[in-house]
Amino acid sequence: MIYAPALLNELEKGTDKTIYCFGAGKALDSFLDEFQAYKLESRIKGIADNNPNVVVQSIKEINGCCIPILSLDQLLYGIKDNDCILITTMMFEEIIEQLGKIRQLDQIRFGISYIMKMEYRDNNQIKHAIPTVLAAYKELRIPKTIHYCWFGEKEIPDQQKKWMESWKKYCPDYEIVEWNESNYDVHKNKYISQAYEMKKWAFVSDYARIDIINECGGVYLDTDVELIKNIDLLLMNDAFCGFEQPRYVAFGLGFGSITHHPILEEMKGYYDDSSFVLEDGSLNQKTCPVIQTEIMRKHGLECNGEFQIVNGMAVYPPCFLCGMSPFSFRVEKNPFYTYAIHHYEGSWVENRQWKAMVRKHMERWGWSENFVYTDL
C-alpha cells in the first residue's frame, strides 16, 4: 500500500474516489462526526473489519446511508486500483502491517483517520484571525506579578524549573510569587479542602489560582508554561485569558486580571458552592476549562477561537497562549504571535503515557509543514 498524506486535502476538496474504510468501531464514528461537513459516508463503498462478530451485522447505517460491512476477502474482491482505504481504527499500525503483506493492495493509497484528525485540528488552531489591537488600554492595568501554585510539598521537577526560568528571562521586572501550604489556606471552602485531603493538587490549584488573582491581581502561570516573549502588552487589559482550542478557554495556559473582576468573582463563587467529594463518594473531576468556558459563555463568550472581549476580559486565539497543540503536542514552526508554550505535563492525568504515544505516532505518520516537535 502507498501512504497518501494528501488524502485529507482531497477529502476537503471533495474527491470522487471510492473510499473503503477498515475498522467499523468508535474510531470510524468519531472520524465521520468530525468531518460530517464533507458527507464522506456517501462516498464509502464498504467498511471492512477483522472482527467476525462485527462483519456478521452486514450493514452500518450512518446519517441515513446504509454501508455494507465487509470481511477482508470481500474487501479484496471489490476494491479497484483507483480506490483508497481509510484506516479507521486506533490499531492502525497493526492494520497497515496486515494489509501491507497483500500483493493485491500494493498500489492502493491509504490514509489514517487518527492522523488526519490531528492534522485537521492542528491546522485549525492557527487559522484564526489575528486582532489588529491586542489591548484595551495604552497603559498597564494588571500588576506585574506572576503567581504560581505548588501544593503537595514535593520538589518542583527540574524540567518545570527550566520552563519557569523563562519567566525571569522575558519578564525580569516582574515579581514572582509561589503559593503553597505555608502561605495559602487550603481549607478555604469545602471543594479545595476535600481536593487537598485527596491529594488532587491540580484541583486544589484550580480554585486557588482564581482566588489569588481575584484578591491580589496579576498574572497566573502553571509551572509547565514557558514564556517565549515579554507579556507587558497583555497587561494593558482589565483581564485576559486564551483559548486552548476553539471550544474551550483554559486559564492554566496563563491568565491575568485586576482585582475582583466580575468573571473571576463568579468562578470563585462556583467553587465556593461546590464539593469535590460528591454525595455518592465519587469525585467531582469536572475539568477547569469546561467550568471556565461555561461561566464565560454566560458573559457572552463565543466558542469559536477568535479574539474577543468578554465583559472586559480579552480572550486570545489558541496560538497566543497555548503555543503547543493540545492534540498532537507539536509547536508551530513560526510562532510569531505566541507568548507562551503550555507543555501539557498533565499532572492530573492517570495515563501519562498518552503524550508519548501521540508523539510517536505523529512523528512517524504526520506530515504538517506548519508544526514541529521540539525539546524546548
Side-chain angles (χ1 to χ4, degrees):
M1 292 198 303
I2 302 170
Y3 185 42
L7 188 58
L8 175 61
N9 296 331
E10 294 177 30
L11 295 180
E12 288 182 310
K13 293 175 182 177
T15 178
D16 57 357
K17 288 184 180 297
T18 295
I19 302 171
Y20 284 90
C21 292
F22 202 108
K26 292 181 179 179
L28 170 62
D29 296 336
S30 173
F31 179 78
L32 292 179
D33 182 62
E34 183 126 3
F35 290 85
Q36 57 183 308
Y38 302 154
K39 301 186 185 309
L40 297 179
E41 58 273 8
S42 64
R43 282 176 269 163
I44 298 174
K45 190 169 185 179
I47 305 167
D49 202 285
N50 282 328
N51 186 342
N53 295 325
V54 173
V55 173
V56 78
Q57 296 173 15
S58 300
I59 295 291
K60 186 177 181 75
E61 184 175 345
I62 303 174
N63 297 329
C65 294
C66 293
I67 304 173
I69 298 180
L70 313 172
S71 66
L72 177 57
D73 287 342
Q74 289 172 319
L75 167 68
L76 296 177
Y77 179 80
I79 197 166
K80 298 188 170 46
D81 287 346
N82 199 42
D83 298 337
C84 59
I85 295 177
L86 182 59
I87 301 177
T88 48
T89 170
M90 285 301 296
M91 309 298 291
F92 55 85
E93 290 191 327
E94 294 179 14
I95 302 302
I96 292 169
E97 182 178 1
Q98 174 190 0
L99 300 183
K101 296 176 182 177
I102 301 174
R103 292 287 301 274
Q104 182 183 338
L105 301 178
D106 281 354
Q107 299 305 312
I108 297 295
R109 299 163 70 244
F110 75 94
I112 305 168
S113 68
Y114 172 78
I115 303 299
M116 291 164 70
K117 281 174 61 175
M118 290 290 192
E119 297 292 0
Y120 177 75
R121 291 175 178 178
D122 280 2
N123 286 331
N124 282 342
Q125 288 284 93
I126 59 174
K127 285 183 178 178
H128 301 287
I130 302 300
T132 55
V133 179
L134 299 178
Y137 301 95
K138 293 184 179 180
E139 71 279 349
L140 296 178
R141 298 279 292 174
I142 298 170
K144 283 189 171 185
T145 304
I146 295 175
H147 304 267
Y148 71 97
C149 294
W150 190 258
F151 297 103
E153 301 180 331
K154 291 184 179 180
E155 183 74 13
I156 298 175
D158 289 342
Q159 180 60 75
Q160 294 184 42
K161 287 181 179 178
K162 180 180 177 182
W163 294 326
M164 292 167 69
E165 289 174 2
S166 68
W167 306 353
K168 298 177 182 177
K169 176 180 178 181
Y170 292 105
C171 300
D173 56 338
Y174 284 52
E175 179 186 9
I176 299 177
V177 180
E178 176 181 316
W179 295 88
N180 53 47
E181 293 87 344
S182 69
N183 60 356
Y184 185 81
D185 181 5
V186 294
H187 300 289
K188 271 197 167 187
N189 62 26
K190 183 186 291 187
Y191 180 95
I192 191 172
S193 183
Q194 291 175 336
Y196 185 82
E197 294 301 324
M198 299 289 293
K199 298 184 178 180
K200 299 291 187 179
W201 314 125
F203 293 93
V204 173
S205 296
D206 286 351
Y207 172 77
R209 60 189 173 200
I210 299 295
D211 183 36
I212 290 164
I213 298 300
N214 190 51
E215 292 298 322
C216 304
V219 177
Y220 173 86
L221 298 177
D222 271 352
T223 54
D224 61 352
V225 170
E226 176 183 19
L227 294 181
I228 61 173
K229 66 175 63 174
N230 180 272
I231 60 172
D232 283 3
L233 187 62
L234 305 183
L235 273 55
M236 297 178 186
N237 293 292
D238 284 337
F240 73 88
C241 68
F243 282 101
E244 179 178 51
Q245 52 174 294
R247 293 174 56 195
Y248 296 109
V249 295
F251 283 21
L253 308 175
F255 76 101
S257 179
I258 59 175
T259 59
H260 302 290
H261 190 279
I263 290 179
L264 297 188
E265 290 278 3
E266 187 169 343
M267 289 182 181
K268 181 177 179 298
Y270 168 87
Y271 288 105
D272 287 337
D273 295 336
S274 300
S275 296
F276 186 69
V277 180
L278 303 177
E279 290 184 2
D280 62 2
S282 63
L283 302 184
N284 175 11
Q285 299 197 65
K286 190 174 184 179
T287 61
C288 54
V290 173
I291 294 168
Q292 291 153 8
T293 302
E294 287 178 352
I295 290 174
M296 291 190 67
R297 286 185 67 185
K298 296 178 185 178
H299 290 259
L301 176 73
E302 294 184 27
C303 294
N304 56 14
E306 299 292 342
F307 176 76
Q308 55 201 279
I309 296 179
V310 180
N311 200 357
M313 176 176 280
V315 186
Y316 294 102
C319 63
F320 276 69
L321 294 173
C322 195
M324 178 177 286
S325 163
F327 310 111
S328 68
F329 307 112
R330 298 179 295 187
V331 298
E332 194 178 351
K333 275 187 177 178
N334 301 300
F336 186 75
Y337 294 101
T338 301
Y339 285 81
I341 295 174
H342 183 221
H343 286 274
Y344 289 99
E345 282 298 278
S347 60
W348 64 94
V349 179
E350 291 184 7
N351 181 12
R352 299 188 66 188
Q353 298 303 312
W354 175 254
K355 182 177 175 181
M357 185 188 77
V358 170
R359 175 166 182 161
K360 173 190 166 200
H361 289 325
M362 293 302 296
E363 285 184 320
R364 180 175 183 184
W365 300 104
W367 66 84
S368 176
E369 296 180 353
N370 298 318
F371 295 89
V372 295
Y373 279 107
T374 179
D375 295 319
L376 286 172

